[in-house]
């Protein structure tokens, strides 16, 4: 027996308004819509939040899954209401080697004026952009943090700038913001990145405890912060295992 766990399933609670592109309606009906990804991670975070921090679990929460692939998810009552990724894993915030949100006109320019093939453009957008493309030498935020090169600083600053901007957009969907969660490789282990993002969200009332942040504590917001800021481990494989167990039990298999 085999089971499949879909990385988009957690986002099925989003409305059609959130999922639509401003394209002719027939494309939406044909499946051209915002699907969102990292759903397995966000499902784990939602369940973990309900167990560990029930006081904020049902409020307005933005989770930031920051790794080689990166996205944000707006949640309320433990369900997805909006997310930064859309039709593909290219959308949203810049990533290690992926571009994030891009004016579609740039793709047309590369195709029509630069004469690049679809395959060449695909390689640029998926493999040569993001932190690697901006810095010119590395997709690893740890290497960029350790570097004195101005291109490295700019890559990290743009990363934080875009994440903070996307967080405010998602807060608009929710109608408020009570909690920010950092997770995945960068989110769990890069205090410098977390601090840079939170600094840009200070106008919303975000204030971190820098000692707690440096220690990768679960709660890194200060007592004065109007918004709770958490660092939580994610485990996508556990969600896959849980779903497989449910299927086996439904078939009468003892697990």
């Amino acid at each position: 027996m085999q089971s499949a766990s879909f990385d988009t399933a957690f986002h099925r609670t989003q409305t059609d308004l959130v999922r639509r592109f401003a394209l002719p309606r027939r494309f939406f009906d044909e499946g051209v819509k915002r699907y969102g990804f990292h759903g397995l991670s966000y499902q784990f975070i939602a369940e973990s939040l309900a167990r560990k921090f029930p006081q904020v679990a049902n409020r307005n929460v933005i989770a930031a899954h920051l790794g080689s692939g990166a996205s944000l998810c707006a949640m309320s009552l433990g369900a997805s209401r909006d997310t930064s990724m859309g039709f593909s894993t290219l959308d949203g915030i810049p990533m290690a080697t992926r571009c994030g949100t891009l004016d579609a006109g740039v793709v047309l320019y590369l195709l029509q004026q630069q004469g690049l093939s679809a395959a060449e453009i695909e390689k640029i957008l998926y493999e040569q952009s993001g932190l690697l493309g901006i810095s010119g030498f590395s997709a690893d935020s740890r290497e960029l943090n350790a570097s004195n090169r101005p291109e490295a600083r700019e890559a990290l600053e743009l990363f934080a700038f875009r994440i903070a901007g996307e967080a405010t957009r998602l807060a608009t969907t929710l109608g408020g913001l009570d909690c920010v969660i950092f997770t995945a490789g960068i989110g769990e282990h890069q205090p410098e990145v977390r601090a840079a993002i939170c600094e840009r969200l200070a106008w919303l009332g975000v204030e971190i405890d820098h000692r707690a942040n440096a220690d990768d504590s679960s709660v890194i917001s200060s007592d004065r912060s109007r918004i709770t800021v958490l660092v939580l481990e994610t485990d996508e494989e556990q969600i896959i295992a849980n779903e497989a167990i449910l299927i086996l039990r439904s078939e009468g298999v003892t697990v």
Side-chain angles (χ1 to χ4, degrees):
M1 180 182 293
Q2 295 181 332
S3 66
S5 296
F6 291 89
D7 215 18
T8 59
F10 183 72
H11 303 299
R12 68 188 182 280
T13 50
Q14 295 176 12
T15 66
D16 282 355
L17 178 65
V18 169
R19 304 184 79 177
R20 276 192 184 278
F21 295 112
L23 292 171
R25 295 185 68 85
R26 64 183 177 86
F27 291 111
F28 183 88
D29 297 337
E30 292 169 1
V32 180
K33 61 184 71 174
R34 297 174 57 84
Y35 290 98
F37 296 87
H38 293 132
L40 298 172
S41 175
Y42 293 128
Q43 183 175 340
F44 185 90
I45 290 299
E47 294 175 4
S48 179
L49 187 65
R51 291 193 307 271
K52 298 178 180 179
F53 299 95
Q55 67 274 23
V56 295
N58 289 328
R59 304 188 73 182
N60 294 322
V61 176
I62 292 177
H65 177 107
L66 306 180
S68 294
S71 70
L72 277 68
C73 179
M75 298 185 286
S76 64
L77 300 175
S80 175
R81 306 303 178 192
D82 200 349
T83 188
S84 60
M85 279 186 174
F87 180 74
S88 76
T89 57
L90 281 177
D91 201 10
I93 59 177
M95 298 165 239
T97 63
R98 285 174 258 169
C99 60
T101 298
L102 183 69
D103 180 350
V106 174
V107 177
L108 295 176
Y109 169 79
L110 296 176
L111 185 67
Q112 297 171 342
Q113 304 300 319
Q114 292 286 321
L116 300 181
S117 68
E120 289 172 322
I121 294 172
E122 181 180 35
K123 187 175 182 64
I124 291 170
L125 301 185
Y126 277 98
E127 301 177 22
Q128 299 174 352
S129 298
L131 296 177
L132 175 61
I134 302 164
S135 70
F137 73 95
S138 179
D140 192 323
S141 62
R142 293 166 297 184
E143 292 182 7
L144 298 177
N145 268 312
S147 174
N148 292 322
R149 293 172 60 172
E151 298 88 350
R153 294 293 95 200
E154 187 173 38
L156 292 172
E157 287 174 8
L158 183 60
F159 189 57
F161 174 68
R162 296 297 184 198
I163 291 171
E166 183 65 13
T168 60
R169 186 191 72 80
L170 294 176
T172 299
T173 300
L174 294 172
L177 182 59
D178 302 296
C179 178
V180 173
I181 301 170
F182 291 99
T183 192
I186 296 173
E188 294 172 27
H189 304 295
Q190 293 288 300
E192 301 91 348
V193 173
R194 294 194 299 260
I197 295 167
C198 289
E199 183 178 347
R200 290 186 175 274
L201 295 174
W203 65 277
L204 286 173
V206 173
E207 183 177 331
I208 63 171
D209 180 322
H210 290 283
R211 182 183 293 266
N213 184 47
D215 292 339
D216 294 333
S217 300
S218 295
V219 181
I220 63 171
S221 48
S222 74
D223 294 337
R224 297 180 299 275
S225 183
R226 294 203 302 268
I227 295 171
T228 302
V229 185
L230 306 174
V231 178
L232 297 179
E233 293 182 2
T234 191
D235 191 341
E236 294 157 291
E237 290 80 7
Q238 185 62 60
I239 295 298
I240 295 171
N242 292 345
E243 291 182 350
I245 289 171
L246 285 175
I247 293 172
L248 290 171
R249 286 176 175 168
S250 72
E251 296 292 324
V253 178
T254 302
V255 179

